[in-house]
Amino acid sequence: MVRKKLSRIQWGVIKTAVFILCLLPFMAISWDAVNNLLGPDPIQTLHFRTGDWTLRFLLITLTMSPLQRLLKTPIPIRFRRMFGLFTFFYASTHMMVWLVLDQSLSLDNMLQDIPESPYIILGLTAYSLLIPLAITSTTGMMRRLGRRWTVLHRTVYLIAVFGVIHFFWLTKLDYQEPLIYSLILGVLLAFRWRILKAIFTPKSAISKT
Amino acid sequence: MARKKIPAIKENEVTPLQLFNNSRSLISASRRQFLAQGAGLLLASGLMPTSGWAGNKITDYKRSSLSLNETPTPYEYVTTYNNFYEFGTSKGDPAVNAHLLKTKPWSVTIEGEVGKPGVYDLEDILKRQQLEERIYRLRCVEAWSMVVPWIGFSLADLIKQMEPTSKAKYVEFTTLYDPEQMPGQKRRTLKWPYTEGLRIDEAMNPLTLMATGLYGEEMPNQNGAPLRLIVPWKYGFKSIKSIVKIRLTEQMPKTSWNESARHEYGFYANVNPSVSHPRWSQSRERVIGAPLFTPKRDTEMFNGYGEQVAELYKGMNLRRFF
């Protein structure tokens, strides 16, 4: 059908546009880094800016399926993987800032800092859990894993909760920002109450029904 | 310029002065940066005063042998990266909001265990003090540090003039409470007014400074004008700003951060790399103004002032009395 062909071209254009849009924060951060515009505390600024965008993309990713249900259109789901991978991308830049700038790639520094900083342990855990999701994000992997793919990718709810706690845990006194993130996450998780209920219901209870 | 009449400039101290002169021309650039970084909503809507902060030179001060031999952090960072929750909780908030604070006239109530209690005009207090410049490192509990050329006088001198009684075991300081001038106080982030305290021997230590200026100028409002405490071997939150009351007491005073999180911020709050904050390490610090790839600095015991103050804590378990 003519309509379908047209929309395929449109899709290409739209996806490219969204892709570039998702890269804009990274370009802005890089620009500021290169031009010495990160302010008095550049490492901290980079931590916050890359961390903020990680959480934002995570929440955007989690918005796609409720949006599909609410708007009764499959369009949002077609962007979910891209947003998910951008979450991983920004999380990776966040990790790089920590590894290279904060820890100067020194194992000694890390061995000292990690045990003394619970929020770092949680952040590292959340990042480790993101890696398998990024690896299995291809269509091939989806097909190969089948039902197990869905189960594996439910880890994203845990990752999101870890991410928000990570933010709370490092905050000194003013919890306004992490609160906003956790409120949004709460709403997004509420859309999944069926899934979450199933996860938290003991197996024996399921087999009875 | 008056600034250049400062007597006996040693060769190694010339750099800071040059840096200072450069930084003057950087101020307008730093304002533009505010705008760019989004802290400038107020600026954009024209609510920011164009006159900016402080700027009155202090000419009559001597140099102190207690100064660090280090290049101070650039003026623009010292005056735009501030923890002063009375003006907002972000680092940039104080520089934007502190113009609301009226520092002249200013009076300080001195009370409690002293022979000469009263409400003193700050000007009258200052008439009796010898101002000096002291370049100290400021280490924040958030694990960053900067080097600031403060101008002030010894707290010990002031306390002696007030004739403390034998019951004076502690000194309690209180910041101004006025939500109209300090809009951050409209939010209940900390319990207002901010209070801090020192043991009397800490207060009498020669390092303990009552600061009225920095970089050869009267104290910018966002840095705690017109009168603030500087205790360089303790985390920055001990160095209370915009002081309106000094009370000598027999009991250990309540202090704001300790009240807000007892297990995280102790009364002593001595800089100590081996006692971590419950949620983060204190072993290293980010150096404000350092280039991006500079490794963090190893935090020193008592912020490097151990020689002068370690004696005060002899026999104390610093892990317990953090």
Side-chain angles (χ1 to χ4, degrees):
Chain A
M1 265 162 43
V2 178
R3 194 169 178 272
K4 203 170 185 181
K5 265 189 183 166
L6 247 179
S7 67
R8 187 173 285 175
I9 298 162
Q10 283 172 335
W11 269 118
V13 175
I14 292 168
K15 279 213 163 172
T16 312
V18 173
F19 185 88
I20 292 168
L21 213 63
C22 293
L23 263 182
L24 281 181
F26 177 73
M27 294 195 272
I29 294 166
S30 308
W31 174 267
D32 288 349
V34 170
N35 292 292
N36 219 352
L37 295 172
L38 293 170
D41 195 353
I43 300 177
Q44 189 78 328
T45 304
L46 285 176
H47 273 317
F48 279 122
R49 286 176 70 178
T50 55
D52 283 346
W53 282 107
T54 306
L55 280 177
R56 285 169 196 161
F57 272 102
L58 190 49
L59 295 180
I60 291 171
T61 311
L62 290 176
T63 309
M64 292 304 110
S65 107
L67 211 58
Q68 173 195 33
R69 265 200 275 165
L70 289 176
L71 302 177
K72 298 191 171 71
T73 154
I75 293 170
I77 287 298
R78 300 182 71 164
F79 289 96
R80 189 172 58 180
R81 170 163 53 198
M82 196 201 292
F83 292 141
L85 284 170
F86 267 108
T87 307
F88 182 66
F89 172 71
Y90 281 100
S92 301
T93 58
H94 192 59
M95 275 291 293
M96 290 304 283
V97 169
W98 182 73
L99 278 171
V100 179
L101 300 176
D102 198 290
Q103 301 295 315
S104 307
L105 291 171
S106 150
L107 198 63
D108 284 347
N109 288 355
M110 286 178 226
L111 288 176
Q112 180 156 31
D113 272 15
I114 294 171
E116 289 182 343
S117 324
Y119 75 94
I120 295 181
I121 300 175
L122 201 62
L124 289 171
T125 311
Y127 184 71
S128 317
L129 291 172
L130 263 182
I131 296 171
L133 303 196
I135 292 172
T136 58
S137 65
T138 61
T139 315
M141 274 294 192
M142 256 175 118
R143 220 174 284 139
R144 233 170 298 162
L145 290 172
R147 158 108 190 119
R148 280 175 301 164
W149 187 92
T150 315
V151 176
L152 174 66
H153 278 252
R154 279 180 188 158
T155 332
V156 75
Y157 305 133
L158 188 66
I159 295 168
V161 171
F162 281 4
V164 169
I165 296 175
H166 167 74
F167 194 5
F168 263 107
W169 223 339
L170 62 87
T171 299
K172 186 164 146 260
L173 197 67
D174 189 353
Y175 294 104
Q176 208 165 297
E177 271 187 63
L179 255 174
I180 293 169
Y181 284 104
S182 56
L183 280 177
I184 297 171
L185 178 61
V187 171
L188 293 173
L189 288 181
F191 277 98
R192 277 91 174 178
W193 69 274
R194 264 175 217 276
I195 300 170
L196 294 171
K197 210 174 110 188
I199 293 172
F200 287 110
T201 310
K203 277 253 164 70
S204 56
I206 296 172
S207 61
K208 269 179 212 158
T209 55
Chain B
M1 278 163 80
R3 191 183 319 120
K4 295 193 170 155
K5 280 189 216 151
I6 298 161
I9 299 173
K10 284 182 245 144
E11 209 156 21
N12 58 14
E13 284 167 332
V14 172
T15 316
L17 280 171
Q18 284 173 341
L19 219 145
F20 171 47
N21 289 333
N22 289 341
S23 73
R24 296 286 297 158
S25 62
L26 278 171
I27 294 171
S28 63
S30 87
R31 292 242 179 94
R32 276 196 299 275
Q33 197 181 314
F34 258 128
L35 246 177
Q37 287 178 350
L41 253 174
L42 278 175
L43 283 161
S45 53
L47 291 173
M48 178 83 179
T50 46
S51 58
W53 43 77
N56 284 337
K57 303 284 171 291
I58 301 176
T59 46
D60 185 21
Y61 62 87
K62 56 177 194 176
R63 284 171 181 275
S64 167
S65 56
L66 294 165
S67 284
L68 291 176
N69 196 3
E70 281 186 46
T71 307
T73 306
Y75 178 91
E76 61 156 330
Y77 292 160
V78 172
T79 54
T80 58
Y81 193 76
N82 307 104
N83 271 331
F84 198 171
Y85 285 17
E86 280 81 346
F87 295 108
T89 53
S90 333
K91 298 285 184 295
D93 287 344
V96 175
N97 297 326
H99 65 276
L100 294 167
L101 175 67
K102 212 172 147 253
T103 57
K104 280 175 193 168
W106 192 272
S107 56
V108 181
T109 305
I110 299 182
E111 57 180 35
E113 299 296 337
V114 286
K116 291 180 172 173
V119 180
Y120 294 86
D121 267 350
L122 179 59
E123 284 188 26
D124 293 335
I125 293 177
L126 288 179
K127 268 181 211 154
R128 304 179 59 185
Q129 317 302 330
Q130 167 66 57
L131 291 183
E132 48 184 82
E133 181 182 69
R134 299 208 195 155
I135 303 171
Y136 282 162
R137 174 170 290 106
L138 175 83
R139 168 62 157 80
C140 179
V141 75
E142 297 165 1
W144 53 263
S145 70
M146 49 169 77
V147 176
V148 186
W150 302 109
I151 290 180
F153 57 90
S154 267
L155 174 60
D157 292 345
L158 178 65
I159 291 178
K160 276 181 224 153
Q161 288 159 11
M162 295 305 148
E163 297 170 4
T165 72
S166 60
K167 283 185 185 166
K169 303 270 167 56
Y170 294 92
V171 187
E172 179 192 80
F173 304 86
T174 309
T175 296
L176 175 71
Y177 175 73
D178 182 351
E180 292 312 308
Q181 294 186 63
M182 296 181 147
Q185 291 175 332
K186 289 175 185 167
R187 277 185 70 199
R188 264 198 259 155
T189 44
L190 288 164
K191 217 163 100 191
W192 311 116
Y194 195 96
T195 58
E196 255 309 335
L198 294 173
R199 228 167 49 188
I200 192 77
D201 56 347
E202 297 175 323
M204 299 301 285
N205 187 280
L207 281 174
T208 307
L209 188 74
M210 293 300 277
T212 58
L214 54 81
Y215 262 113
E217 296 181 353
E218 280 180 13
M219 190 71 78
N221 284 0
Q222 63 268 36
N223 292 84
L227 182 70
R228 69 168 295 177
L229 181 68
I230 298 293
V231 198
W233 70 93
K234 292 175 181 286
Y235 292 121
F237 68 85
K238 292 296 290 183
S239 294
I240 183 170
K241 305 181 179 85
S242 305
I243 296 167
V244 292
K245 192 160 82 180
I246 301 174
R247 180 182 175 82
L248 278 74
T249 63
E250 200 173 5
Q251 306 295 325
M252 183 184 274
K254 288 181 173 178
T255 60
S256 287
W257 277 98
N258 181 246
E259 293 277 289
S260 107
R262 221 163 269 282
H263 60 293
E264 297 196 337
Y265 310 100
F267 175 81
Y268 288 95
N270 292 318
V271 175
N272 188 340
S274 55
V275 176
S276 65
H277 182 279
R279 293 183 284 133
W280 58 79
S281 170
Q282 295 290 20
S283 58
R284 275 174 292 275
E285 63 207 37
R286 303 186 303 280
V287 177
I288 298 305
L292 197 51
F293 286 91
T294 315
K296 291 202 282 187
R297 184 179 185 281
D298 286 332
T299 293
E300 293 172 75
M301 186 65 204
F302 296 119
N303 203 21
Y305 297 97
E307 218 173 284
Q308 292 101 319
V309 301
E311 193 69 23
L312 296 171
Y313 310 102
K314 229 170 95 182
M316 270 175 74
N317 178 350
L318 295 181
R319 197 165 286 278
R320 190 168 158 230
F321 298 102
F322 57 93

